[in-house]
Amino acid sequence: MDLLQSYTDQNDEDGSPEQVASSPEASPPRLLPAKTSAPKVDDTLLALTVANANQTLSKPIDPTQHLVAFNPTYDQLWAPIYGPSHPYAKDGIAQGMRNHKLGFVEDASIEPFVFDEQYNTFHKYGYAADPSASAGNNYIGDMEALQKNDAISVYNIPQHEQKKRKIEKKKEMSENEDVEEDLNLAEVDNPASDVWLMKNRKSPWSGKKEGLETELTEEQKKYAEEYAKKKGEEKGSEKGEVTADKSTFHGKEERDYQGRSWIAPPKDAKATNDHCYIPKRLVHTWSGHTKGVSAIRFFPKHGHLILSAGMDTKVKIWDVFNSGKCMRTYMGHSQAVRDISFCNDGSKFLTAGYDKKIKYWDTETGQVISTFSTGKIPYVVKLNPDDDKQNILLAGMSDKKIVQWDMNTGQITQEYDQHLGAVNTITFVDNNRRFVTSSDDKSLRVWEFGIPVVIKYISEPHMHSMPSISVHPNTNWLAAQSLDNQILIYSTRERFQLNKKKRFAGHIVAGYACQVNFSPDGRFVMSGDGEGKCWFWDWKSCKVFRTLKCHEGVCIGCEWHPLEQSKVATCGWDGLIKYWD
C-alpha cells in the first residue's frame, strides 16, 4: 500500500507517468481481479422474465416451447391457442386443436331434441332459450312475442290451445264445404282453379290400380296361356304324376327249368364259418346308375342279391352269387331315391324318394303294390321286424314326425310327433317292442311301439346329429354315426346310456350320412367316409384295423355279406357299387 501511495503522490507532483516509470526506485503496479465465493448463475431468463412480466401475464404458453422457464398460472395453461405466427397452420391454430375447417368448435352439451325444439321455436315465434346463459329463464329474440305466448315452445303447446286449433280447423272445413256448394259449375270444371285440384286429387298409386283393370291384348293373352300351361306341367312333374310305375327285367329268364323264381336263394348258400375277416382286394364292380348310389341292402339271410337306390330315380337289384349282372330295374320315382328296406323274406321292399312318395314293391315282378305319401319327404322307411307285423310301415319324415301306416288298409294308424327336426333313422330294439329314432335336432328318442310317448330322451350339449344307427349282432349295443367324426356306442338296455369306453374315430363324415355297420360276428365295426374310404375298427380295442380306398368322392354305404364273412359291399356317390373280399 505504501508503494501505491508513493506512486500516486509522484504522479500527482510530476504530472506524467513516464517520469515515474523512468525512476529506478518505482515498480509497475499489479491489479488482481476481484473474487467471490457465490456460484455463477445465468440470469438471462430471469432478466427476460422480469422485463416481459406484463406481457407474460397476458400471453398463453407457446406450444412449440419445450421448456417453460417460469411457473405459469392456471389461466395461462388453459388459455386457447391463438396467434398468426403459429407454425402449424396459417390461421395460427395447431393441427391437433382443429375439428372444423374454420378452426376449433367447442361441443355444447345440448340434447338433439332440445336443440330442435329451440331451433323450430325461434323460426316460428322469433324467440328461443339462450344456452350460454347460466339461468334457465334467459331468452333471446323477440321479447314481445315471448310475453304474448307465455314462452311456450313448438313442442309444448297447451291442451286448451290444441282444442282451440281443432275447433278452428273444423270451422274452416265446414266453411269450405259451404263455399263449394255455392261455387258455380264453371269453376269446378276449370283445371286452373284450386277447387278443381282439390276435387281431382288422387293418390300416387291410383294409376296403377286402373292399369290392372285394362284388358289384355291378344298377344298378352296368348303369352299368359302358354305360361300357365308351362307352370302346370312343371307342377305335374314335381308331384310325380308324369312318372309311371314300371320295371324292366334284365336276366335271361324269370323262372328256371324247375320253376324256381330268379329271386330264390341258392340251396347251397350257407355260412362257411362264424369267423369274419377284413377284406383286402376288389372282387367285382357294378356300374349301372348314371348318378350316385345313396344306399345298398343285401337280400335278407342269404345275400345272393343286392338292392341299390340311385340318385338317378332308379332302384336296381344285382346278382351277387352267380353272374354279377343287373337283374331288374325298378322305375317309379320322379326324383332321387333316399332309402330302401327289405321285408323279412326279401319278396318285397320299400323305397323312399325325394318326390315325397313311399312305394312298396314286389321284388320278383317289379310291380308297385301300394304307394304312401303325406306331402313331406320321407328320410327313412322301415317295416316292423316281427313276422306277424310285416304290414306295418314306419317312416321318418322331413316334418319331424314318424308316421305309422297299416299297409293292408292304407290308413295312418299312429304319429310319433316329438322331434324338433327331420327324422333320420328308425332302429328297433328290445325284441322289437321299442324303437330308437335320431333326428336333425341332435337328440335320440326311444319309443314304445304303438305309443306316441317318448320313454327316453337323450340330448347333451356335446351331441351332434346322428344320421345312421346300427344294432350290434348281440342286440345289446347301438352304434351311432355322429357328425363330429366319431361313432358313439349306446346301450339298448333300460337306461340307453352312452358307453364312454367305446369310441371309434379317425374317419371324416362331417356333413355326410355315411352308413355304419357291424360284421356278422360282431368283431368289427365298419363305416364309409367323405373321402371315399371304408374304415374297419376292432370292436374290443376300438383301434383302426384297416382302411380301404373304395370310391372317388363319398363312400356313403357299406354292408357286410350275411353268409360269406369276409366279403363286403360298398357304394358311393361316383355311381359304383363295389364288392370286396
Side-chain angles (χ1 to χ4, degrees):
M1 294 299 289
D2 296 337
L3 287 170
L4 286 171
Q5 186 66 37
S6 64
Y7 176 75
T8 51
D9 293 342
Q10 287 176 5
N11 195 15
D12 291 338
E13 291 172 1
D14 300 337
S16 66
E18 291 179 0
Q19 294 174 355
V20 177
S22 60
S23 64
E25 296 176 1
S27 61
R30 294 180 183 177
L31 299 175
L32 298 173
K35 289 187 178 181
T36 175
S37 61
K40 189 175 181 181
V41 177
D42 186 7
D43 56 353
T44 310
L45 286 175
L46 181 63
L48 288 171
T49 306
V50 173
N52 301 326
N54 297 327
Q55 296 179 3
T56 309
L57 292 172
S58 59
K59 280 189 177 181
I61 298 169
D62 186 1
T64 59
Q65 188 177 346
H66 297 288
L67 181 67
V68 181
F70 61 95
N71 290 334
T73 61
Y74 179 84
D75 294 332
Q76 285 175 285
L77 285 173
W78 289 96
I81 298 171
Y82 65 94
S85 61
H86 200 281
Y88 294 156
K90 291 178 182 178
D91 55 1
I93 299 175
Q95 198 68 28
M97 297 293 289
R98 297 169 67 87
N99 63 0
H100 192 267
K101 289 182 179 179
L102 301 177
F104 180 76
V105 179
E106 292 186 3
D107 291 332
S109 56
I110 301 174
E111 291 291 329
F113 174 80
V114 177
F115 178 82
D116 292 342
E117 180 185 23
Q118 297 303 323
Y119 179 83
N120 293 325
T121 304
F122 185 80
H123 278 275
K124 184 170 183 180
Y125 297 123
Y127 59 86
D130 185 5
S132 62
S134 58
N137 57 355
N138 288 346
Y139 286 85
I140 57 170
D142 190 356
M143 295 301 166
E144 292 180 4
L146 178 72
Q147 292 176 358
K148 184 180 176 182
N149 296 321
D150 294 332
I152 62 166
S153 71
V154 289
Y155 292 163
N156 59 0
I157 298 170
Q159 210 163 13
H160 64 84
E161 187 73 21
Q162 291 180 13
K163 287 181 182 177
K164 187 180 174 184
R165 290 188 179 185
K166 284 181 183 177
I167 293 165
E168 287 177 359
K169 202 169 186 180
K170 283 181 182 178
K171 280 182 182 178
E172 283 180 12
M173 290 175 69
S174 61
E175 286 173 5
N176 288 337
E177 287 174 3
D178 295 339
V179 170
E180 284 175 8
E181 288 174 3
D182 297 338
L183 288 170
N184 55 4
L185 293 172
E187 193 169 351
V188 174
D189 296 335
N190 184 13
S193 63
D194 295 334
V195 180
W196 185 90
L197 289 171
M198 291 295 292
K199 283 281 186 185
N200 294 278
R201 186 171 56 186
K202 291 181 180 178
S203 70
W205 298 275
S206 59
K208 295 182 182 178
K209 198 170 183 182
E210 287 174 1
L212 289 173
E213 294 170 1
T214 57
E215 291 186 3
L216 298 172
T217 62
E218 291 297 325
E219 190 178 348
Q220 287 173 333
K221 284 180 181 177
K222 188 179 178 182
Y223 178 78
E225 286 173 7
E226 288 177 1
Y227 183 77
K229 189 177 178 182
K230 188 179 176 184
K231 274 287 180 188
E233 287 176 1
E234 285 179 3
K235 284 182 181 177
S237 65
E238 282 177 11
K239 291 176 182 175
E241 295 169 359
V242 178
T243 308
D245 298 330
K246 59 180 181 179
S247 177
T248 306
F249 183 69
H250 306 290
K252 290 182 179 178
E253 50 189 4
E254 294 195 23
R255 294 189 176 274
D256 63 359
Y257 70 98
Q258 289 184 337
R260 291 178 299 186
S261 170
W262 63 272
I263 67 164
K267 291 186 177 179
D268 57 343
K270 293 180 181 178
T272 52
N273 55 25
D274 294 332
H275 195 81
C276 292
Y277 299 93
I278 302 291
K280 296 180 180 178
R281 62 190 177 92
L282 179 64
V283 178
H284 188 76
T285 302
W286 291 288
S287 59
H289 288 283
T290 56
K291 291 184 180 178
V293 181
S294 54
I296 51 171
R297 301 284 184 269
F298 274 111
F299 196 89
K301 297 177 185 175
H302 299 92
H304 64 290
L305 298 171
I306 188 168
L307 189 70
S308 64
M311 296 179 189
D312 56 357
T313 73
K314 295 174 184 175
V315 178
K316 292 176 179 284
I317 194 162
W318 314 79
D319 186 7
V320 179
F321 197 73
N322 294 316
S323 64
K325 294 180 180 179
C326 179
M327 298 301 292
R328 189 179 277 280
T329 302
Y330 307 88
M331 294 167 283
H333 289 281
S334 61
Q335 291 190 33
V337 183
R338 160 92 185 190
D339 191 32
I340 46 177
S341 178
F342 271 112
C343 67
N344 283 358
D345 58 0
S347 61
K348 300 174 186 67
F349 66 89
L350 289 162
T351 60
Y354 282 101
D355 57 356
K356 304 175 183 176
K357 291 187 177 178
I358 301 166
K359 292 183 182 287
Y360 192 42
W361 302 79
D362 187 291
T363 310
E364 183 182 355
T365 62
Q367 292 179 343
V368 175
I369 301 167
S370 52
T371 304
F372 309 93
S373 179
T374 63
K376 303 293 179 183
I377 299 172
Y379 281 177
V380 57
V381 283
K382 269 283 172 65
L383 288 173
N384 191 304
D386 288 337
D387 290 331
D388 59 341
K389 295 175 184 172
Q390 287 289 287
N391 62 321
I392 294 173
L393 158 67
L394 288 173
M397 313 300 286
S398 60
D399 64 346
K400 315 168 190 175
K401 294 180 183 177
I402 299 111
V403 184
Q404 179 178 316
W405 275 277
D406 184 348
M407 290 194 293
N408 293 339
T409 61
Q411 299 294 319
I412 294 175
T413 56
Q414 193 61 269
E415 279 189 356
Y416 307 85
D417 186 10
Q418 292 284 320
H419 276 293
L420 305 174
V423 181
N424 292 322
T425 63
I426 299 172
T427 311
F428 280 89
V429 295
D430 195 13
N431 295 323
N432 307 326
R433 289 182 300 166
R434 297 172 180 167
F435 62 93
V436 183
T437 58
S438 68
S439 165
D440 286 345
D441 61 4
K442 304 179 183 178
S443 70
L444 293 176
R445 293 172 201 253
V446 186
W447 314 76
E448 201 85 38
F449 178 73
I451 302 170
V453 179
V454 174
I455 61 171
K456 181 73 176 180
Y457 170 61
I458 304 167
S459 180
E460 299 292 340
H462 59 78
M463 283 174 62
H464 286 68
S465 182
M466 299 176 182
S468 175
I469 292 179
S470 185
V471 186
H472 193 276
N474 65 11
T475 70
N476 290 332
W477 305 100
L478 288 174
Q481 182 81 268
S482 180
L483 285 186
D484 57 347
N485 299 329
Q486 59 181 342
I487 297 170
L488 304 176
I489 306 298
Y490 288 89
S491 167
T492 60
R493 302 292 173 89
E494 290 295 322
R495 300 186 68 182
F496 290 90
Q497 281 185 321
L498 174 67
N499 188 341
K500 295 181 180 178
K501 293 182 180 179
K502 287 194 181 296
R503 176 179 163 275
F504 303 92
H507 58 323
I508 298 170
V509 291
Y512 303 104
C514 296
Q515 185 183 349
V516 61
N517 228 319
F518 287 97
S519 61
D521 62 353
R523 288 180 58 235
F524 300 108
V525 181
M526 65 185 297
S527 168
D529 80 342
E531 296 179 343
K533 295 177 183 176
C534 188
W535 292 66
F536 298 88
W537 292 270
D538 185 77
W539 169 253
K540 286 187 177 179
S541 65
C542 299
K543 292 181 180 178
V544 178
F545 204 92
R546 184 172 297 155
T547 58
L548 293 174
K549 176 64 177 175
C550 298
H551 297 274
E552 295 297 326
V554 182
C555 177
I556 199 74
C558 54
E559 282 266 328
W560 211 294
H561 196 282
L563 294 182
E564 300 186 35
Q565 279 88 351
S566 64
K567 292 188 177 176
V568 168
T570 62
C571 66
W573 283 3
D574 55 0
L576 302 177
I577 304 158
K578 295 188 178 182
Y579 197 40
W580 303 81
D581 186 9

